Amino acid sequence: MSLITRNGEKMPVPRQRMIFTGVLLGAWLVAGLLELWPSYIFPTLPGVCSAIWRGIDRGTLPMAILGSMRRLAVGYSIALAAGIITGLLMAGMSWFKNTFGLLVLGLQTLPSICWLPLAILWFGLSEKAILFVVVMGAFLSIALAAEDGIRNTPKVYLQAARNLGASGFGLYRSVILPSAMPTLLTGMKLGWSFAWRSLMAGELIYAVPGLGFMLNMGRELNDMNQVVAVILVIMTIGLVTDKLFFSVLERSVRSRWGTVRS
Amino acid sequence: MRIRSGEFVCLVGPSGCGKTTVLHLLAGLAEPSVGEVLADGSPILGPDPGRVLIFQEGALFPWLTVRANVEFGLRFKGVPKAERTVKVLELLEKVHLADFAHSWVHELSGGMKQKVALARALAVDPAVLLMDEPFGALDALTRDMLHDELQEIWGQSSKTVVFVTHNVREATVLGDRIIVMSRSPGRVLAEFEVDLPRPRHMADDGIMTIAGQVRAALER
């Protein structure tokens, strides 16, 4: 079935989405009203809504969101700084790339949550252990993208900049890093999604307050409505970050470079 | 090869004869394997805003606006902000692109890009402008217009220009002197003085005559 109205015009995207969401929520509501499954197996729409409301009312949900976002922000910032520095080193010194670069490439194949047992042995069941996992999630892909972007700085930009008087740190700040931005951004986005996934996984085991912990709490209480409520919140945060942060950055890069959205 | 101060010299030759290498040596972006390159009597040791190269493809920075591209060299010279703003606007007016100050590079046509590259080079007020086939990729109409603009800008300044091209007529229109180079080994084959009144145009009779002689030297 094509989404074309009677007069042959394509339906606008917001309306497509509204209808889709409406149908989905309606079907969910009806399925819940039929009471086919017990409430700890099948979450109901009103139940999930009230779980969200309860979370807000008691303050546990905002606390969990803030806790998770704070961990993510700290971990991601560390990963971003470390990743860019490592990328610069790998691009600048071939021996570093040949040795440490191989390690980075190898480690990147490792799902970052695999660091959690190690982190717990090092740091105990603590904030630091979770932070370590988040940093390891984002750091590697940011480092690889930074290296790629920096190494592929068109030579002619460097020549032009040096000719106009740029050198040393100025060359990095005004030419090499901005020129690497499109590639770096891809790595930042990938790194963010790795960090977010490993944060949630890490928080399942231990982190108060945090969304992952709240999710696990729902399981322990056999409260399916809370589980689904937290899943929805986690999804929403992911979507909002993508739209508010990365899409804005990508749009800015696209408008400068003139590359068309693929 | 000697280039006098304030002179407009064109280097012509087949591709692969080392015209671009000569410019890179003069710009300090390459080092000679034998011999030396001197500027005002002292050897060229590296890039210097006193000798600015304009690349064939412009080499404008896509992450900066037109204005910021022109301003680039001034920032490294430590020129104060207010002064930079005035100077950039002045230069963009000179190349008739003031309306495009806030455009991104990809929004410009090929000819406009080269004019921005020229403005960016002029901003640091170099004594020597090195131009590497800057109009090679442009259509004939745009190129003729840029010939006029370049002759006018050069006429108002006292800059030395070394201009590389494989277009003999272009060299004759622009140059006070034409140096003809040969392919492997890259050597100077011949030199021609062009003593015609400016502004000159591609279709002028005098241009055609001298261009014919230059071409004959190239094909010898």
Side-chain angles (χ1 to χ4, degrees), chain A residues 156-157 159-167 170-171 173-175 178-179 254-258, chain B residues 24 29 47-49 51-53 55 57 59-63 72-73 75-76 104 106 120 124:
Chain A
V156 72
Y157 292 162
Q159 291 177 326
R162 284 171 60 215
N163 199 179
L164 290 166
S167 63
L171 199 58
R173 197 177 50 92
S174 346
V175 179
S179 155
R254 266 199 298 270
S255 73
R256 285 167 190 233
W257 265 256
Chain B
H24 281 233
L29 293 170
D48 184 325
R51 300 177 307 273
V52 175
L53 177 59
F55 296 83
E57 61 276 46
L60 297 174
F61 304 128
W63 58 90
F72 188 88
R75 292 210 325 258
F76 288 97
W104 298 113
H106 72 92
R120 182 175 72 174
V124 291

Side-chain angles (χ1 to χ4, degrees), chain A residues 36-44 222-225 228:
Chain A
L36 296 173
W37 300 280
S39 69
Y40 61 87
I41 299 285
F42 190 81
T44 61
N222 261 358
D223 188 349
M224 179 58 95
N225 288 330
V228 174

Side-chain angles (χ1 to χ4, degrees), chain B residues 98-112:
Chain B
D99 291 344
F100 293 88
H102 300 287
S103 301
W104 298 113
V105 173
H106 72 92
E107 293 167 325
L108 307 178
S109 69
M112 286 153 87

Side-chain angles (χ1 to χ4, degrees), chain B residues 65-85:
Chain B
T65 58
V66 165
R67 213 188 69 85
N69 262 286
V70 177
E71 196 183 4
F72 188 88
L74 294 174
R75 292 210 325 258
F76 288 97
K77 262 192 153 181
V79 180
K81 177 135 185 63
E83 205 176 309
R84 293 200 304 251
T85 311

Side-chain angles (χ1 to χ4, degrees), chain A residues 24-143:
Chain A
L24 200 66
L25 291 177
W28 186 11
L29 186 64
V30 171
L33 288 174
L34 293 175
E35 294 187 20
L36 296 173
W37 300 280
S39 69
Y40 61 87
I41 299 285
F42 190 81
T44 61
L45 180 56
V48 169
C49 289
S50 73
I52 293 177
W53 173 246
R54 203 176 49 218
I56 296 172
D57 194 36
R58 290 185 187 159
T60 48
L61 190 59
M63 287 277 283
I65 294 176
L66 278 178
S68 294
M69 293 310 276
R70 193 183 51 78
R71 276 179 212 111
L72 188 72
V74 174
Y76 190 72
S77 310
I78 295 173
L80 189 62
I84 291 176
I85 291 170
T86 310
L88 283 168
L89 290 175
M90 286 198 292
M93 297 185 281
S94 59
W95 66 265
F96 192 75
K97 150 97 178 155
N98 296 338
T99 54
F100 194 73
L102 192 66
L103 183 66
V104 170
L105 205 61
L107 291 179
Q108 210 219 359
T109 61
L110 189 72
S112 55
I113 194 62
C114 298
W115 290 107
L116 191 62
L118 182 144
I120 290 175
L121 288 177
W122 275 357
F123 304 109
L125 273 175
S126 67
E127 285 287 322
K128 275 187 199 152
I130 307 268
L131 207 59
F132 182 77
V133 173
V134 172
V135 171
M136 289 312 283
F139 162 68
L140 299 166
S141 43
I142 293 175

Side-chain angles (χ1 to χ4, degrees), chain B residues 74-162:
Chain B
L74 294 174
R75 292 210 325 258
F76 288 97
K77 262 192 153 181
V79 180
K81 177 135 185 63
E83 205 176 309
R84 293 200 304 251
T85 311
V86 175
K87 179 113 190 210
V88 168
L89 194 68
E90 198 181 285
L91 283 161
L92 284 175
E93 269 164 9
K94 196 179 236 179
V95 295
H96 312 293
L97 285 177
D99 291 344
F100 293 88
H102 300 287
S103 301
W104 298 113
V105 173
H106 72 92
E107 293 167 325
L108 307 178
S109 69
M112 286 153 87
K113 281 182 193 161
Q114 288 302 4
K115 291 207 280 184
V116 176
L118 179 62
R120 182 175 72 174
L122 290 172
V124 291
D125 201 18
V128 183
L129 267 182
L130 307 163
M131 305 180 81
D132 188 7
E133 294 194 42
F135 309 145
L138 304 180
D139 63 272
L141 214 64
T142 311
R143 189 192 52 204
D144 290 350
M145 268 165 55
L146 286 173
H147 286 168
D148 286 347
E149 288 192 37
L150 180 59
Q151 289 183 77
E152 193 187 323
I153 289 169
W154 176 74
Q156 292 162 0
S157 73
S158 55
K159 299 197 186 307
T160 312
V161 180
V162 184

Side-chain angles (χ1 to χ4, degrees), chain B residues 1-5 7 9 38 41 162 177 179 188 191:
Chain B
M1 194 187 288
R2 291 183 81 87
I3 292 157
R4 291 183 288 268
S5 170
E7 189 181 30
V9 176
L38 304 175
V162 184
R177 192 152 65 96
I179 298 177
V188 176
E191 280 190 33

